[in-house]
Amino acid sequence: MNQKYLIPLTAVFLLFLVAYTGVEGAGLQWFFGIVFPYVAILAFLAGFVYKVLGWASSAVPFRIPTTCGQQKSLPWIKQNTIDNPDTSTGVFLRMVLEIFLFRSLFRNTKAAFNRNASNRLSYSWEIFLWVGALAFHYSFLVVLLRHFRFFTSPVPSCIKFLEYIDGIVQLGLPGIFLSGVVLLAATLFLLARRIFDAKVTYISQAADYFPLFLIIGIAATGLSMRYFTKVDIVGIKTLTMGLVTFSPTIPEGVSGLFYGHVFLVSILFAYFPASKLMHLGGIFLSPTRNMANNTRAKRHVNPWNYDVKTHTYEEYEDHFREKMIEAGLPVDKKE
Amino acid sequence: MNKNYIITGLVIFVLTVLSPFWFNMITTTQAAPEPELVGKAKTEKKCVLGKYEMRANHMSLLDEWRDSVVRNADRMYTAANGNSFNMSLSTGENSCLGCHEDKAKFCDSCHTYASVNPYCWECHTNPKEIK
């Protein structure tokens, strides 16, 4: 047992129980359904803007692109324009591929000893982190977008289309949404990786486990509401519509499970700017990815440079010309 | 230069996050449907399950009914309150739509509001539409 994951796990359980008992026992629907979601969204936006502005104001004195291909060189040497871009178009393409396909994660390798007699340390390509990350991020995106049906009325046709595609496997009633299942499976895989791979366990902190448990908790409560315990959807939609039209109401007959779900989501939003989840904003500012590799082709002046008092060779010669001629040293201008 | 890009991106991000708020300001928002008992249901006052239980759980109940009718030919459902009902969505007086006569109000208003698209009506028909 490892306290680095036991403490976040307990924390997520307790947070859920706080909301559940707060609603079921103390009748605090207004707090968990109205006050805290508003506070969370404000904290999320303020924290996010603060963090990004902080990053934006830090100096970037020189270019530090990481390169994974041939640099622009002599005309007969073929350049890798995406992996080693020297133009902003190339950088843009590299960023698009990075953001939408996690290209640098695709290159993930693992180090392990060979299992044969040689027992050599060798590096091999490890694709499952990339697969898990891609499955997790995209299913989370689809789940997030699907939730717009609770915040719009009438629901836009693009959201309905997304629901149609997501529910294309007509299993059970209410029909299964693939994204929800993939989301839970992918988070559980990413968690299992942290717990069972000794090398990853070694570098995992509570701050790595907490968001995972939080998202697992959100997915589990969401799936349970939709498929198992069931909730009054119309009642819930009056609450969420009330939130986004600034006329909040608390519907009757909605169980504590829903408030637990909303509370965990609110915690995720409020916690977001203070956590590693800020890679949502940070990926756009990754200095090794978003700069063209033209350090030598273009002159980059250090923005920190102040006016250095220089003494050029011409000035030096003017200064010492007579002494130089006397000593027999060569001079540029003989006067 | 770079800072301007960052500020632009940040503004777009904040607007995206706040989209549920401004989207409802610039479009007309449809209010929640007010469920209303009409016709026979108004006088009958006995349903299969309680009000909130029914709202949350009716799809599972219908799913169980379908299996029960199709696989076991068992068509009678005795509810917890002692009343028995014909396990049918749309056939006869003792079915769902036999009592709740107006499909548009009884089914569609909430389904449309919650963006739920049940496939019941791919096989069943609204008895009102046949006449």
Side-chain angles (χ1 to χ4, degrees):
Chain A
M1 282 292 158
N2 180 335
Q3 59 171 356
K4 279 177 185 158
Y5 60 77
L6 271 185
I7 291 172
L9 178 64
T10 319
V12 171
F13 264 115
L14 284 180
L15 286 170
F16 175 77
L17 282 180
V18 162
Y20 188 82
T21 50
V23 165
E24 294 281 327
L28 291 172
Q29 276 91 342
W30 59 272
F31 180 77
F32 294 106
I34 296 168
V35 178
F36 200 75
Y38 276 134
V39 171
I41 204 82
L42 282 178
F44 172 70
L45 283 177
F48 199 99
V49 169
Y50 176 78
K51 264 276 167 81
V52 172
L53 287 183
W55 290 335
S57 64
S58 53
V60 185
F62 37 74
R63 310 209 145 202
I64 47 168
T66 48
T67 57
C68 308
Q70 172 61 48
Q71 183 180 8
K72 183 178 165 64
S73 178
L74 298 167
W76 43 269
I77 297 177
K78 197 171 173 243
Q79 183 200 1
N80 190 332
T81 46
I82 294 171
D83 282 327
N84 200 335
D86 69 313
T87 58
S88 20
T89 321
V91 171
F92 179 78
L93 271 175
R94 172 156 84 164
M95 287 302 284
V96 165
L97 292 172
E98 184 65 34
I99 288 162
F100 290 102
L101 297 173
F102 314 160
R103 202 144 173 268
S104 42
L105 200 56
F106 187 68
R107 297 197 180 91
N108 186 36
T109 53
K110 68 168 182 209
F113 290 106
N114 275 355
R115 286 193 182 163
N116 55 29
S118 74
N119 202 31
R120 275 196 327 185
L121 181 70
S122 57
Y123 296 86
S124 55
W125 188 36
E126 210 273 317
I127 199 181
F128 293 104
L129 175 60
W130 178 77
V131 170
L134 216 55
F136 162 69
H137 281 86
Y138 275 99
S139 56
F140 207 9
L141 177 69
V142 171
V143 169
L144 184 76
L145 289 177
R146 271 205 285 106
H147 275 72
F148 272 73
R149 77 173 167 128
F150 295 112
F151 300 102
T152 49
S153 172
V155 179
S157 51
C158 51
I159 303 294
K160 284 186 176 164
F161 179 71
L162 188 67
E163 284 180 335
Y164 168 73
I165 296 288
D166 202 5
I168 200 124
V169 181
Q170 277 188 348
L171 275 180
L173 246 180
I176 203 158
F177 277 141
L178 291 177
S179 56
V181 182
V182 174
L183 175 64
L184 188 65
T187 40
L188 286 175
F189 167 72
L190 294 175
L191 176 69
R193 184 183 151 266
R194 284 202 183 275
I195 291 177
F196 297 118
D197 185 338
K199 294 187 288 303
V200 188
T201 312
Y202 186 69
I203 56 165
S204 295
Q205 303 291 342
D208 296 313
Y209 289 110
F210 182 66
L212 264 178
F213 284 127
L214 205 55
I215 293 166
I216 291 172
I218 289 166
T221 47
L223 291 177
S224 132
M225 271 193 288
R226 181 175 166 86
Y227 302 107
F228 305 111
T229 60
K230 301 291 184 344
V231 280
D232 174 11
I233 286 292
V234 173
I236 283 172
K237 188 160 175 179
T238 49
L239 189 152
T240 51
M241 286 307 289
L243 284 179
V244 292
T245 54
F246 299 108
S247 49
T249 48
I250 293 296
E252 265 180 79
V254 174
S255 77
L257 184 63
F258 166 72
Y259 292 95
H261 181 72
V262 168
F263 188 60
L264 291 184
V265 173
S266 307
I267 292 281
L268 181 70
F269 269 93
Y271 170 72
F272 200 99
S275 69
K276 66 173 206 166
L277 303 172
M278 268 308 284
H279 67 266
L280 169 63
I283 189 159
F284 293 93
L285 305 182
S286 353
T288 58
R289 309 265 95 201
N290 67 9
M291 291 180 181
N293 183 24
N294 54 8
T295 39
R296 279 172 285 181
K298 276 193 189 154
R299 181 169 178 188
H300 300 277
V301 179
N302 185 347
W304 297 339
N305 274 355
Y306 57 94
D307 269 339
V308 182
K309 184 109 179 63
T310 52
H311 194 220
T312 60
Y313 179 73
E314 284 76 18
E315 287 164 352
Y316 171 89
E317 205 181 271
D318 287 345
H319 218 133
F320 297 106
R321 183 166 292 108
E322 287 169 18
K323 290 192 173 83
M324 287 168 81
I325 294 171
E326 240 174 75
L329 291 171
V331 285
D332 285 352
K333 272 196 268 175
K334 278 203 178 122
E335 202 133 355
Chain B
M1 171 69 172
N2 276 335
K3 210 160 180 181
N4 291 344
Y5 281 126
I6 297 173
I7 304 283
T8 316
L10 210 51
V11 169
I12 293 172
F13 176 74
V14 170
L15 286 178
T16 315
V17 173
L18 294 177
S19 61
F21 296 97
W22 56 257
F23 187 80
N24 281 299
M25 283 177 189
I26 59 169
T27 55
T28 44
T29 305
Q30 195 188 345
E34 288 289 331
E36 180 189 0
L37 292 175
V38 289
K40 209 176 142 196
K42 202 171 179 179
T43 49
E44 204 79 0
K45 291 275 175 207
K46 49 160 194 180
C47 198
V48 181
L49 292 170
K51 186 163 134 192
Y52 292 113
E53 226 176 326
M54 202 60 195
R55 280 189 193 172
N57 229 357
H58 63 275
M59 70 299 278
S60 310
L61 188 76
L62 289 174
D63 198 25
E64 285 162 26
W65 282 14
R66 179 179 61 185
D67 289 353
S68 161
V69 169
V70 175
R71 296 180 189 166
N72 307 331
D74 179 6
R75 288 179 177 275
M76 277 323 268
Y77 177 78
T78 309
N81 57 16
N83 299 309
S84 45
F85 297 86
N86 190 15
M87 289 191 204
S88 170
L89 185 63
S90 52
T91 314
E93 285 290 294
N94 205 10
S95 67
C96 302
L97 283 183
C99 199
H100 303 273
E101 292 160 4
D102 192 345
K103 170 178 171 280
K105 271 190 181 144
F106 178 61
C107 304
D108 300 344
S109 62
C110 288
H111 286 159
T112 311
Y113 182 66
S115 175
V116 178
N117 200 5
Y119 52 82
C120 312
W121 310 104
E122 287 172 15
C123 302
H124 292 269
T125 45
N126 182 1
K128 281 283 165 61
E129 282 170 10
I130 305 170
K131 282 169 192 169

